[in-house]
Amino acid sequence: MNIGEIAKRAGVSRSTVSYALSGKRSVSEETRRKIQQVIDELGYRPNASARALANGRTSTIGLVFPPAGNHYTGMQLDFIGSVVEAAATYDYDVLLSPSGVDSDRSFQRLLAERRVDGAILMEIRLQDDRVDHLGEAGFPAVCIGRTAHSDGDWWVGLDHTALVEACVHHLADLGHRRIAFVNRPERLLHAGYESAHRGLDGFTKAAAERGLTVRTYCCGDDAPSGQVCLEQILHDDPATTALVTLNEAALGGLYRGLAVAGRHVPRDFSVTGVVAGRWAETVTPQLTAADVPAEQMGRLAVDLLVERLDHPDAAPRHHLLAPPISLRTSTGPAHTGSGSTA
Amino acid sequence: MNIGEIAKRAGVSRSTVSYALSGKRSVSEETRRKIQQVIDELGYRPNASARALANGRTSTIGLVFPPAGNHYTGMQLDFIGSVVEAAATYDYDVLLSPSGVDSDRSFQRLLAERRVDGAILMEIRLQDDRVDHLGEAGFPAVCIGRTAHSDGDWWVGLDHTALVEACVHHLADLGHRRIAFVNRPERLLHAGYESAHRGLDGFTKAAAERGLTVRTYCCGDDAPSGQVCLEQILHDDPATTALVTLNEAALGGLYRGLAVAGRHVPRDFSVTGVVAGRWAETVTPQLTAADVPAEQMGRLAVDLLVERLDHPDAAPRHHLLAPPISLRTSTGPAHTGSGSTA
DNA sequence: ACCAGCAGTCGAACCGGTTCGATGAGTGGA
DNA sequence: TCCACTCATCGAACCGGTTCGACTGCTGGT
C-alpha cells in the first residue's frame, strides 16, 4: 500500500493525500474524510525510507555505546533505556551502534550513510576522536560525558571530580585515614576514560587536602577482579579501613573480598563511591554512594539533541550534574587504635 | 555528495557508478579505478534511505524490548548487547523499540512504516498478541522465548521447566525438604510471562515428584522487594532451608534478607535458580545456578532472523537451550535435625 | 565477409514519498 | 460587472539510489 494506491481509491491525486496527512496546505473537509476513511480501511502508513529520502530527516537518532566485549555495567543499561524512552516521546527511534574495536565501520554507517539525524555518545574519553570528528563535520551530537576540551560541544555530564572528593571527605569526616581508590580497568584509564581520570583527580586532590594515606588501584569490570583487587589492597596495607570506587561491576567482588578477609562492613571497613542508585541497593549492606542519575542524564541528552536538531544554529549547551551522596549503610566511623586485623 | 556527483566527476553515468559499487554488472578495470579514486577523494557513501527505498531492504532489524518503567535485569542487557554485536557482523543495524504500555505506537512505526526488515522480540508471553500479529502478517520475526503455541514461530528459548526442575532436584539431593520458589512479579505472572509460568510449572512438578513441602512467591524486580520476600518466606515457614529463584534483580535483596535473619549461606540456607552467569557471580557467595546463556541466545536469534530474511520460504526453526547447573558456593547439604532457627 | 555473442556503457524508469507552481472554481469589494 | 484573492486540487519535479533494456564496439566462428 503506497500513497498512490490511497489516492486512486479516494479519487484524488497523490499530492492531495500528502497534504491531507501533513496539513501543510488546506484540504476540504469532505476530501479529508474520504482519504482518512480509505487509509483506515487499508491500514496505510507512509514508508519511512521514502519519507526520509524526500525530506532529508530520518527521525532516528544513533546511540553509540561501548563495545560488548567488555562487560556492561548497570549504569549503561539505565542510560540506554532512558534514552530510548525519551526519544520515543519526541517520535524518534533509536539506532544502536556498538563503537567497538573497528568503531569506524559502524560509525560510518550511521553518519555517512545518513541513517540518523543526530547521535548520542556514551563512554567519552578525555581525548575522543569520535567527538572531534563529529565536531569538525558539524554533525549534531550530544555526549554523555565530556572531553578535556568540551567548550564547543553539547554534553550532559557528571562532576566526577566533585563526587569523588565528596566521598573522600565523607570518609575523612568519619575518621578514616588510610583509604584505597578502586578505579575502572587500567585499559580504560589509559584509553583516557573521562570518569576514570576525573574521579582519580578528585580522589588525589581531596586526599591531599585531608592529609590521608592513600593507594589507588585499577580493577577489571567484573566481580572476580574486584575480589582480587581487594586482596591486593589489604596485602599492600592491612591498615586500610575504607575504599572509594567508581567500579560498579566490581562492587560485588570487593564485598566478597572483604567478607573473605573477615572485615565486616561497615564495622571494620567502609565502602563508598559513585554508582547508579538502583545498583547501589543490590549489595548488602547497601552502598553509601553518589547515585548516578542515569535516567535523568539519558533524558537530558535527548532533550539537548532534539533542541539542537530543531535549532541547528543554537549555541552549545550542557548540563553538569553533581548529585549528593546518599547515605546508606556501608560506611561508618573508623576504628580508633587497632587499624590492623590481618 | 550523491551518486550523480560521483558520476559527473568520473565522467561516467550514474548507473555505471552503481554497477561499479555493487558488482552486479561488469565494469572495465580502468573505469572502476577512476570511480574508486573519486569516491575516495570525496569520502562518498551511498545514502541509506535512498538505497532502502530502491531495493526495499533497510538492512536494519528491530529489537522489541521491555518497557523501561520496569527495572531492567542484567540478562536483558546481555541480550541487547549480543544482538547488536551479532547483527553488526551481518551488516545489520539494530533499531530499539520499547514495547511499553502503548506498545502499538512504536511497534507500528517499526513495522508498518517499514523501518526494519525483521524483528527480534524479547520478554515473550505465553499468549502474546505481538507474536500473533506478526505471524498473521507474515512479518519476519524471531522470539527470544516461546509462546504456548509456538509451532509456526521462529524462536530461541530456554527450557525453564527443565532448568527449575534441575534446581529442585539438586536441592532435594542435598537433603532439603522445605523449599521456597521466588518468581518474577505477580504482574508479570498474570501477564503470562513465559519464564515465570514454565519455571513455576517445573518447580511444582519436581517438588511433587520428590514429595517436598514447598511455597511459591512472587517478588518485585528489585533488591528491596527481595528482602521483603525473604522475610515473608521465613515468616510463613521458618523451617525453610532453601529457595529457587528466577528473579535475578531481587537476588541481592534475598541475600540481604538471609543475612538479616542470621541465616548463613550455604551453611544454614541454600540458594539457587536461573540467572545470567555473569550476574550469578556478583553475589557473595556466588550463586549455584543454571546460567542463562544470554549472549549465545542473542547471537542465535540474529542467526535465525538473517536466515529467515535470506530465505523467506524456509520452514520455521528454533533452538531450545537447557544449560547445565553451574555449581558454585551458594548451596550445601541441608541441616538434619534442627530445621528451625528463627 | 557476415553475423552471433559479449563486455562495457548509457538513458530512462522506478521505489514512495514531499513540495512547488499552475489552474480552476468560488467569493467579496469597488 | 469585473478583478483580485483565497481555497482546493492537480501534475510534475525532485530526493538518491537500483535496475532493465538498448546500444556500441570488438572478437571469433564459419
Side-chain angles (χ1 to χ4, degrees):
Chain A
M1 288 314 99
N2 55 31
I3 200 173
E5 189 67 17
I6 302 296
K8 193 186 301 174
R9 304 210 190 193
V12 298
S13 73
R14 301 197 304 150
S15 48
T16 301
V17 175
S18 179
Y19 287 126
L21 283 163
S22 70
K24 296 194 177 176
R25 280 197 190 175
S26 52
V27 170
S28 76
E29 187 52 34
E30 189 193 338
T31 307
R32 184 191 313 282
R33 259 204 313 276
K34 177 65 183 161
I35 291 174
Q36 191 57 52
Q37 182 191 329
V38 175
I39 285 179
D40 291 344
E41 256 170 37
L42 275 64
Y44 164 79
R45 305 217 53 181
N47 180 302
S49 301
R51 194 202 289 263
L53 176 59
N55 63 22
R57 304 176 2 93
T58 60
S59 295
T60 303
I61 64 183
L63 180 57
V64 180
F65 77 111
N70 306 344
H71 298 316
Y72 292 106
T73 67
M75 204 187 302
Q76 290 162 4
L77 178 55
D78 289 345
F79 279 137
I80 295 176
S82 62
V83 164
V84 171
E85 276 216 334
T89 69
Y90 287 108
D91 275 330
Y92 274 96
D93 283 325
V94 174
L95 201 53
L96 285 185
S97 167
S99 78
V101 213
D102 74 322
S103 65
D104 250 18
R105 204 164 62 108
S106 145
F107 208 55
Q108 288 298 320
R109 275 172 71 92
L110 284 202
L111 308 191
E113 300 184 5
R114 310 223 115 81
R115 268 169 217 274
V116 299
D117 296 335
I120 292 178
L121 274 62
M122 295 173 55
E123 305 283 302
I124 300 297
R125 301 188 298 276
L126 286 176
Q127 311 292 338
D128 202 309
D129 48 353
R130 303 171 304 169
V131 182
D132 297 342
H133 281 149
L134 292 176
E136 288 164 15
F139 192 87
V142 172
C143 303
I144 293 183
R146 69 194 147 122
T147 62
H149 313 286
S150 58
D151 288 353
D153 299 339
W154 293 63
W155 52 269
V156 33
L158 220 47
D159 192 344
H160 285 99
T161 309
L163 295 181
V164 172
E165 280 177 26
C167 288
V168 172
H169 287 305
H170 170 66
L171 292 174
D173 291 345
L174 287 169
H176 295 276
R177 311 297 305 162
R178 309 179 86 89
I179 304 181
F181 181 64
V182 178
N183 207 335
R184 302 290 298 277
E186 191 164 11
R187 189 173 49 75
L188 298 186
L189 188 66
H190 280 151
Y193 267 51
E194 187 219 352
S195 57
H197 278 273
R198 295 198 204 270
L200 180 56
D201 288 350
F203 182 79
T204 310
K205 185 169 154 227
E209 270 175 29
R210 304 295 291 253
L212 306 178
T213 303
V214 298
R215 276 194 160 79
T216 63
Y217 298 83
C218 284
C219 173
D221 277 338
D222 56 90
S225 301
Q227 184 168 2
V228 169
C229 182
L230 194 106
E231 285 167 14
Q232 187 67 41
I233 290 171
L234 293 184
H235 172 267
D236 291 347
D237 181 2
T240 305
T241 62
L243 70 80
V244 177
T245 186
L246 294 179
N247 195 319
E248 191 171 89
L251 199 52
L254 294 171
Y255 268 67
R256 180 154 64 237
L258 287 166
V260 169
R263 307 279 179 121
H264 181 269
V265 178
R267 198 181 57 225
D268 310 320
F269 202 100
S270 289
V271 183
T272 182
V274 180
V275 171
R278 181 148 64 78
W279 305 83
E281 296 177 356
T282 62
V283 290
T284 309
Q286 296 187 33
L287 193 74
T288 289
D291 294 351
V292 176
E295 290 190 20
Q296 183 191 3
M297 292 175 73
R299 218 175 33 67
L300 285 174
V302 173
D303 289 345
L304 284 183
L305 183 56
V306 169
E307 186 187 324
R308 186 168 179 187
L309 289 172
D310 288 344
H311 309 286
D313 300 321
R317 293 188 44 198
H318 62 259
H319 296 286
L320 182 61
L321 307 180
I325 289 185
S326 294
L327 292 175
R328 298 198 184 84
T329 50
S330 67
T331 55
H335 274 210
T336 45
S338 93
S340 145
T341 319
Chain B
M1 286 314 98
N2 55 32
I3 200 172
E5 189 67 18
I6 303 297
K8 192 186 302 174
R9 304 210 188 193
V12 298
S13 73
R14 301 198 303 149
S15 48
T16 301
V17 176
S18 180
Y19 287 125
L21 283 165
S22 69
K24 295 193 178 176
R25 280 198 191 176
S26 53
V27 171
S28 76
E29 188 51 36
E30 188 193 339
T31 306
R32 184 192 314 282
R33 259 206 312 276
K34 177 67 183 159
I35 291 174
Q36 192 57 52
Q37 181 190 330
V38 175
I39 286 179
D40 291 344
E41 258 169 37
L42 274 65
Y44 163 79
R45 304 217 53 182
N47 180 301
S49 302
R51 194 202 288 264
L53 176 58
N55 63 23
R57 304 176 3 95
T58 60
S59 295
T60 303
I61 65 182
L63 180 58
V64 181
F65 76 112
N70 306 343
H71 297 316
Y72 292 106
T73 66
M75 204 187 303
Q76 290 162 5
L77 177 58
D78 289 345
F79 278 137
I80 295 176
S82 62
V83 164
V84 171
E85 277 217 332
T89 67
Y90 287 109
D91 276 329
Y92 274 96
D93 283 325
V94 174
L95 201 53
L96 286 184
S97 167
S99 78
V101 212
D102 74 322
S103 65
D104 250 18
R105 204 165 62 111
S106 148
F107 209 55
Q108 288 298 319
R109 275 172 72 92
L110 285 203
L111 307 192
E113 299 184 4
R114 311 221 115 82
R115 268 170 216 275
V116 299
D117 296 335
I120 292 178
L121 274 62
M122 294 173 55
E123 304 284 302
I124 300 297
R125 301 187 298 276
L126 286 176
Q127 311 291 338
D128 202 308
D129 49 352
R130 302 172 302 169
V131 182
D132 296 343
H133 282 149
L134 292 177
E136 288 164 16
F139 192 88
V142 171
C143 303
I144 293 182
R146 68 194 149 123
T147 62
H149 312 287
S150 58
D151 288 352
D153 299 338
W154 292 64
W155 52 270
V156 32
L158 220 47
D159 192 345
H160 285 100
T161 310
L163 295 182
V164 173
E165 280 177 25
C167 288
V168 173
H169 287 305
H170 170 66
L171 292 174
D173 290 345
L174 287 168
H176 295 276
R177 311 297 304 161
R178 309 179 85 87
I179 304 181
F181 181 64
V182 178
N183 208 334
R184 302 291 298 278
E186 191 163 12
R187 189 174 50 74
L188 297 186
L189 189 64
H190 280 151
Y193 266 51
E194 187 218 351
S195 57
H197 278 273
R198 295 198 205 269
L200 181 56
D201 288 351
F203 182 79
T204 310
K205 184 168 156 230
E209 271 175 27
R210 304 294 291 252
L212 306 178
T213 303
V214 298
R215 277 192 159 79
T216 64
Y217 298 82
C218 284
C219 173
D221 277 338
D222 55 271
S225 301
Q227 185 168 3
V228 170
C229 182
L230 193 107
E231 285 167 13
Q232 187 66 41
I233 289 170
L234 293 184
H235 172 268
D236 291 348
D237 180 3
T240 306
T241 62
L243 69 81
V244 177
T245 186
L246 294 180
N247 195 318
E248 189 171 271
L251 198 53
L254 294 171
Y255 267 68
R256 180 153 66 239
L258 287 166
V260 168
R263 308 279 179 121
H264 181 269
V265 178
R267 198 181 57 227
D268 310 321
F269 202 100
S270 288
V271 183
T272 183
V274 181
V275 171
R278 182 148 64 79
W279 306 84
E281 297 177 355
T282 63
V283 289
T284 309
Q286 296 188 32
L287 193 73
T288 289
D291 294 352
V292 176
E295 290 189 21
Q296 183 191 4
M297 291 176 74
R299 217 176 34 66
L300 284 173
V302 172
D303 289 345
L304 284 183
L305 183 56
V306 169
E307 185 186 325
R308 187 168 178 186
L309 289 172
D310 289 343
H311 309 285
D313 300 321
R317 294 188 43 197
H318 62 259
H319 295 287
L320 181 61
L321 307 179
I325 289 185
S326 294
L327 291 176
R328 298 197 184 85
T329 50
S330 67
T331 55
H335 274 210
T336 43
S338 91
S340 144
T341 321

